[in-house]
Amino acid sequence: MPVAADFSAEIRTLTGELRAKQLHRVEAAGTVSQLAEFAVSGREWLVFKVAADVPGGPRLEATFRREFFAD
């Protein structure tokens, strides 16, 4: 069952350039997703910092890097 939460995210290049910070909530088939659109050029690493504030629960945070390949 989906839980109400406030989500935030930052997507940056390894040099610190901001790529996206706006999330879009999408609800379908009993699930809730948070999506972001951003541009990727060539072969590029991006750093993702995401957080969720769940009412009555702890703040959940994660940071990870991912390499993308674009034509």
Side-chain angles (χ1 to χ4, degrees):
M1 172 181 289
V3 175
D6 291 324
F7 288 88
S8 62
E10 278 189 3
I11 302 169
R12 295 184 178 270
T13 66
L14 291 179
T15 60
E17 177 187 348
L18 185 63
R19 287 295 172 90
K21 64 177 183 176
Q22 186 73 27
L23 294 174
H24 305 283
R25 181 182 171 105
V26 176
E27 296 182 39
T31 64
V32 178
S33 298
Q34 300 289 332
L35 305 178
E37 293 184 36
F38 52 91
V40 177
S41 60
R43 188 172 172 184
E44 180 171 42
W45 281 92
L46 296 176
V47 178
F48 296 79
K49 292 183 180 182
V50 295
D53 289 309
V54 180
R59 178 176 173 84
L60 306 172
E61 297 178 335
T63 301
F64 60 95
R65 295 188 305 174
R66 169 111 191 247
E67 185 176 16
F68 289 84
F69 302 89
D71 293 333

